[in-house]
Amino acid sequence: MTITPVILCGGSGTRLWPLSRKSYPKQFSSILGERSLFQRSAGRLAADGFAAPIVVTGSDFRFIATEQLSAEGVDPGAILIEPEGRNTAPAVLAATIYALRDDPEAILLVAPSDHLIPEPGAFREAVAAGLAAAEEGKLVTFGIAPTHPETAYGYLELEQPPQGEQRPFPLVRFVEKPDVAAASQMLEQGTFLWNAGIFLFRAKDMLDAFAQHASGLLEPVRAAVEQARPDLGFLRLAAEPWSSAEDISVDYAVMEHASNLVVVPYPGRWSDLGGWDAVWRETEGDARGVATSGGATAIDCDDTLLRSDSDSLEIVGIGLKNVIAVAMNDAVLVADSSRAQDVKLAVSALKQKQAPQAVQFPKDHRPWGWFESLAVGERFQVKRIHVKPGAALSLQSHVHRSEHWIVVEGTARVTVDDEVRLVTENESVYVPLGSRHRLENPGKVPMVLIEVQTGRYVGEDDIVRYEDVYSRP
């Protein structure tokens, strides 16, 4: 029996700010190593016995997802675009309804895209251990053997300690995130597992579960799938019915009410990387528990995470204990390790200040590449623009600004009104205010240029698009 993975990748991951932000959340970031968590998730399920995945994500991430899948060598079966985030229950239901259109006996494995599972083979063995139960009509979830009294996870209670057995166990109950005392007691008792939020089931059984426990979601989500429209290889769910679907997790909507749910224990390493304390635990540290990465230096520190995600910024810690310090080009986080789960409060505080760092990543990723702002003044902005080989920006104009482009790497094909020409390294071009212009990379290597904008307003919304190969409005 072939299993179809459903990879959910629409979250924002605010507890890993400043690396994870709304415009570029943690699942697409290189937190541990070169591959993103999303790529690791897709690669983990690209194996014998698994079909091409169904990916559910937001419109802003659709090109990031396809680019990272391509780099991983994974061809998706479908990419469903959510018009807006409505939590995991509508997302799971949409994938379920979509899968049933082609295969009434489809078996799905729902997996978040931001979890760290370093042993993919062992994880696939756990999935195989639950397959027979799924074929019998059970909803299978996976529980992680706890290693410490964690307060950031929900728990699953079993009737008996699993004692290393990897088979489906009856579920007694779900347990909400506990306090330290309760978590310590559950760890000692041995009948509790961390709730991984990973589910294996026949699509028709999940549809029945929604009909029984969350029937209000059926009509809007089914309509959103049935009225979906293709868009450059993606499938855009219909916005109007989708907006009326309840914003609720699949745990609350279905799983906590289902009577046919079983748990397969997974004894291997796992983390949802739900905070910088989790990243510290997963980063190889020294004998004093100090983990550093990038341009970070620790002097006489203990149990501390020092991380620089900027090529031009060095961070140095002296005499620190139980501290998290993460530096980027535009923001720095310093926190006591015990307050790692409170990092989301920083995001809320920055939103109240209307600080762009709350949601906007320093590099603004676009389907053609990315750009970052190097300097901003009252009437100017300087950017570095990176264009992928063969990619092209839209044909556009601006109402409030003119632009100077200086190519520093590669070759650009530049359109300014009726003139089209090649611009190579150390050459520049001027784009007057109001001119229709386009930038393309006709080469086989990335093209990088420095853009200097001048005018009354240099915001990203000062763009009038006439043509766009990516069908953006």
Side-chain angles (χ1 to χ4, degrees):
M1 177 64 68
T2 301
I3 299 171
T4 299
V6 176
I7 303 177
L8 307 179
C9 55
S12 58
T14 55
R15 288 177 295 176
L16 284 186
W17 184 89
L19 181 63
S20 177
R21 308 188 198 182
K22 183 179 179 181
S23 69
Y24 199 74
K26 70 173 184 176
Q27 58 265 29
F28 300 117
S29 299
S30 300
I31 297 175
L32 297 169
E34 294 297 321
R35 297 161 70 213
S36 71
L37 296 173
F38 173 63
Q39 288 174 305
R40 290 172 183 239
S41 296
R44 184 164 55 246
L45 302 175
D48 291 342
F50 291 88
I54 298 172
V55 176
V56 185
T57 190
S59 182
D60 291 344
F61 309 137
R62 65 195 190 280
F63 293 110
I64 298 173
T66 53
E67 181 179 348
Q68 292 199 356
L69 286 173
S70 177
E72 189 67 17
V74 174
D75 185 16
I79 297 182
L80 308 185
I81 306 300
E82 297 176 288
E84 59 181 296
R86 306 300 292 169
N87 215 317
T88 56
V92 170
L93 181 55
T96 298
I97 293 171
Y98 178 84
L100 283 170
R101 298 197 309 185
D102 296 328
D103 182 4
E105 296 298 321
I107 291 184
L108 306 183
L109 176 70
V110 173
S113 62
D114 56 357
H115 291 185
L116 178 69
I117 303 177
E119 302 164 288
F123 175 74
R124 290 191 292 267
E125 289 177 5
V127 174
L131 183 56
E135 291 176 325
E136 294 171 358
K138 301 292 186 182
L139 305 181
V140 182
T141 187
F142 295 85
I144 310 301
T147 57
H148 59 278
E150 179 61 62
T151 61
Y153 302 152
Y155 286 70
L156 306 168
E157 184 180 5
L158 307 183
E159 291 180 343
Q160 63 189 76
Q163 296 180 335
E165 291 186 80
Q166 200 164 53
R167 63 176 177 83
F169 286 79
L171 174 69
V172 175
R173 64 185 175 114
F174 284 84
V175 180
E176 294 295 325
K177 297 176 182 178
D179 57 26
V180 174
S184 299
Q185 184 177 7
M186 288 190 290
L187 179 64
E188 183 178 350
Q189 189 170 334
T191 56
F192 292 85
L193 304 174
W194 290 335
N195 181 7
I198 302 171
F199 305 103
L200 178 69
F201 51 83
R202 291 188 306 191
K204 62 183 180 182
D205 297 321
M206 180 57 76
L207 190 64
D208 288 344
F210 271 94
Q212 183 175 354
H213 305 296
S215 58
L217 286 170
L218 288 175
E219 183 178 347
V221 174
R222 182 178 280 117
V225 175
E226 291 175 350
Q227 298 170 28
R229 59 180 179 84
D231 179 5
L232 293 177
F234 308 104
L235 188 67
R236 286 188 175 272
L237 302 176
E240 184 174 350
W242 186 262
S243 66
S244 64
E246 184 181 1
D247 186 332
I248 187 172
S249 74
V250 70
D251 275 1
Y252 287 147
V254 172
M255 297 302 181
E256 294 188 2
H257 309 288
S259 59
N260 60 334
L261 199 146
V262 296
V263 182
V264 173
Y266 177 66
R269 284 177 56 202
W270 170 91
S271 174
D272 75 343
L273 292 183
W276 284 113
D277 53 340
V279 176
W280 168 73
R281 284 192 293 269
E282 297 296 334
T283 304
E284 185 176 352
D286 63 17
R288 298 179 64 173
V290 176
T292 60
S293 59
T297 302
I299 300 172
D300 194 25
C301 295
D302 293 283
D303 298 326
T304 288
L305 174 68
L306 294 176
R307 179 183 179 118
S308 175
D309 282 270
S310 169
D311 294 334
S312 59
L313 196 153
E314 291 284 333
I315 181 170
V316 179
I318 302 175
L320 302 178
K321 186 173 183 179
N322 299 323
V323 168
I324 293 166
V326 181
M328 299 190 69
N329 284 343
D330 64 338
V332 177
L333 168 71
V334 181
D336 187 283
S337 298
S338 66
R339 302 292 300 276
Q341 295 301 308
D342 291 333
V343 170
K344 60 186 177 182
L345 300 178
V347 178
S348 298
L350 291 174
K351 285 181 178 178
Q352 291 181 355
K353 293 173 58 177
Q354 297 185 330
Q357 289 91 335
V359 297
Q360 190 63 43
F361 199 71
K363 286 184 179 179
D364 197 323
H365 291 261
R366 299 298 171 93
W368 44 260
W370 54 264
F371 69 84
E372 61 180 337
S373 182
L374 304 178
V376 182
E378 186 175 346
R379 293 179 61 88
F380 76 91
Q381 180 171 206
V382 181
K383 291 181 179 178
R384 174 166 57 182
I385 298 178
H386 182 284
V387 184
K388 296 181 293 188
L393 281 68
S394 60
L395 180 66
Q396 59 185 249
S397 66
H398 307 296
V399 177
H400 300 291
R401 69 175 184 255
S402 59
E403 296 173 343
H404 295 261
W405 294 340
I406 304 96
V407 176
V408 294
E409 293 181 29
T411 299
R413 180 187 291 122
V414 173
T415 300
V416 180
D417 292 327
D418 296 327
E419 181 185 8
V420 180
R421 65 187 179 99
L422 294 179
V423 181
T424 60
E425 292 181 10
N426 298 321
E427 294 183 340
S428 63
V429 64
Y430 172 62
V431 181
L433 184 150
S435 293
R436 294 192 181 198
H437 58 280
R438 187 199 298 273
L439 182 66
E440 303 170 75
N441 180 0
K444 298 185 180 301
V445 298
M447 185 271 292
V448 180
L449 61 81
I450 301 300
E451 177 181 86
V452 181
Q453 304 174 347
T454 56
R456 298 193 308 272
Y457 179 72
V458 293
E460 284 305 309
D461 53 349
D462 181 22
I463 295 178
V464 179
R465 285 195 177 95
Y466 305 98
E467 297 176 9
D468 185 56
V469 296
Y470 308 106
S471 300
R472 293 171 296 172

